[in-house]
Amino acid sequence: MTITNAPVNPFIRLDPLDNVVVARMPVSAGTPVPSEGVTTLQDVPSGHKIAARDIRKGEAVLKYNTVIGYAAEDLVPGTWMHSHNILFDEVEKDYAFTTRYEPTDFVPQPQRATFDGIKRPDGRVATRNFVGVFVVSAASGTVARRIAKSFKEDDLKSFPMIDGVVPYVHDQGDGMEWTGEPMDLLRRTIGGYLKHVNTGAALIIAQGDEANDLEALLADQGLKRGPTLQTMLVEETEGLRAAIAAGRSKIEAMLPLANACHREPCSAEHITVGLQCGGSDGFSGLSANPALGAAMDLLVKNGGTAILSETSEIFGVEHTLTQRAVTPEVGQKLVDRMNWWLEYNAGKDTQINGRVSPGNNAGGLANVLEKSLGGAKKGGNTGLMGVYKYAEPVDAHGFVFMDTPGYDPAAATGQIAGGANMVCFTTGRGSCFGSVPAPTMKLASNTPMYDRMKADMDVNCGRIIDGEISVEDLGKEIFEQLLEHASGHQPTKSELSGMGTNEFMPWPIGIVA
């Protein structure tokens, strides 16, 4: 597709010191780029890069004036640049703890943004109200799914404040270590969902002899049976059908109690957002991620919380976060988690060692350094107030980091277990994702994908690439739309599609015995 006569510059310069520019659309070989004084030497896919000047072999390749790799050969201006001629290598990082930290300029309490939330007796505020059917191990998965599925729309008509009865099924809980980090992580995750502000009532199902013992789970998480927390042992029933009937009966008894709530205006400080990206492309770091970051800056200034995660996908730019840490101890926690990942992945063919997924690569990301550069922008620019292990309760307000894998379902599960009551998910390739009990809001990085997948995308951030709106103005729009979704006034596209019940995935880090 030749765009020589296009009304907009076919390439975007991100920083005056960059030696590459990014194609905002597919560009044919031989296309002049007047802003750079070069002509493209090869066809350049949308979201990919060209050399803006001579780059010598071994010289750092700069995007956003940040190193994303090194030239594999001498490169002349106009050369298409991607993983075939950009080498991945370790970059020098100055952690410089706290050197760029600035206290947040909070909006005064009376002037803070509000949303219609569900205030719980303990003062926490929910964005949704689900009844959950949980399992301690995979052995009871079928029972849990069939109990939840048995509740049709008509069954819940008398309970308008309940958003659904949903199963939380996973493939762990048995055939694993009885003690240690894997079991601790699993119990912390299940416990986080059971205690989640968006969980109005819950039933926990056990087969009866799992490694993840039911009584041990309850004790470990400080949970006690009560009117809205029931348990059931399948081996004490007369079989599958009897267990389903018994479980349904227990849920029916809890529905009136879970329904006994209402929405009322609440401060945005009660919103905690899990930040996710999946199927990223070369535009994600230019549009959706920075726009979401601008929205999160507004949320933080209004007292809310934003959780950045996916540790392997900030590799190479983690120093930009440690420099914003509120204390050296917070910065060191992030470094410690990154070092754990580097040791855990040593010698393995994984993302942190350079490669990105085929979809990321096709979308214009040459390696994990370039992906990390864009991904970190979701967190905005405020101070880093805390660093948490996977599924740990997030007790700090503001911008925080949680250690998770890059795999979206596992990462979002950890964030929700930690307290996220909303999820914002950016995508360039069109990744479909949803979550419960915290709903997912989807942001598209480019207009062609948004137009193609309007049924799944909530926001078109491609308008930034198209020159129609600034990052800051779109950030304001995203923040306002987030408040609408949190209020329940406007379901997200993933909610309308019925997504989320299959995305519960505690991080499986242990040995399967």
Side-chain angles (χ1 to χ4, degrees), residues 74-319:
D74 289 340
L75 301 167
V76 298
T79 302
W80 171 44
M81 297 188 63
H82 197 40
S83 48
H84 62 287
N85 55 16
I86 300 177
L87 294 177
F88 170 82
D89 201 355
E90 183 73 63
V91 297
E92 185 176 339
K93 291 168 278 193
D94 181 5
Y95 292 121
F97 298 146
T98 76
T99 55
R100 291 178 54 219
Y101 170 76
E102 293 183 9
T104 299
D105 183 16
F106 289 106
V107 175
Q109 279 277 0
Q111 300 172 25
R112 288 185 178 176
T114 62
F115 72 106
D116 290 337
I118 302 167
K119 191 172 289 185
R120 300 299 191 189
D122 62 3
R124 296 183 302 157
V125 178
T127 61
R128 296 293 186 271
N129 187 39
F130 282 95
V131 175
V133 187
F134 292 81
V135 298
V136 300
S137 79
S140 303
T142 297
V143 176
R145 285 196 172 99
R146 291 197 183 178
I147 290 171
K149 189 176 181 180
S150 74
F151 285 91
K152 309 299 182 184
E153 188 174 336
D154 287 345
D155 295 314
L156 299 178
K157 277 186 176 180
S158 299
F159 309 102
M161 287 304 299
I162 295 177
D163 291 296
V165 178
V166 295
Y168 295 100
V169 176
H170 55 91
D171 60 2
Q172 298 182 60
D174 216 350
M176 61 184 292
E177 300 169 85
W178 290 75
T179 58
E181 187 176 14
M183 185 63 78
D184 291 344
L185 187 151
L186 175 60
R187 288 176 176 167
R188 193 164 67 230
T189 305
I190 296 173
Y193 271 68
L194 286 163
K195 293 179 279 190
H196 197 279
V197 66
N198 287 4
T199 299
L203 170 65
I204 312 174
I205 304 173
Q207 189 69 28
D209 57 356
E210 294 95 336
N212 185 22
D213 178 70
L214 174 60
E215 299 304 325
L217 168 67
L218 294 173
D220 181 78
Q221 291 299 304
L223 296 166
K224 294 183 179 180
R225 295 175 178 85
T228 57
L229 179 58
Q230 299 285 312
T231 64
M232 184 179 75
L233 293 178
V234 174
E235 67 181 19
E236 292 182 356
T237 69
E238 296 178 355
L240 176 66
R241 293 177 184 174
I244 293 169
R248 180 181 168 87
S249 178
K250 287 177 179 288
I251 295 290
E252 287 174 338
M254 291 189 286
L255 291 178
L257 300 174
N259 189 64
C261 59
H262 65 278
R263 288 188 181 270
E264 59 185 280
C266 299
S267 169
E269 68 193 65
H270 295 288
I271 295 178
T272 298
V273 178
L275 304 173
Q276 288 293 316
C277 58
S280 298
D281 68 354
F283 293 129
S284 294
L286 283 61
S287 60
N289 291 343
L292 179 55
M296 292 304 98
D297 284 346
L298 292 174
L299 177 65
V300 168
K301 289 177 181 178
N302 280 273
T305 303
I307 309 173
L308 183 66
S309 296
E310 301 177 303
T311 313
S312 60
E313 297 184 6
I314 63 158
F315 176 66
V317 299
E318 66 270 26
H319 58 291

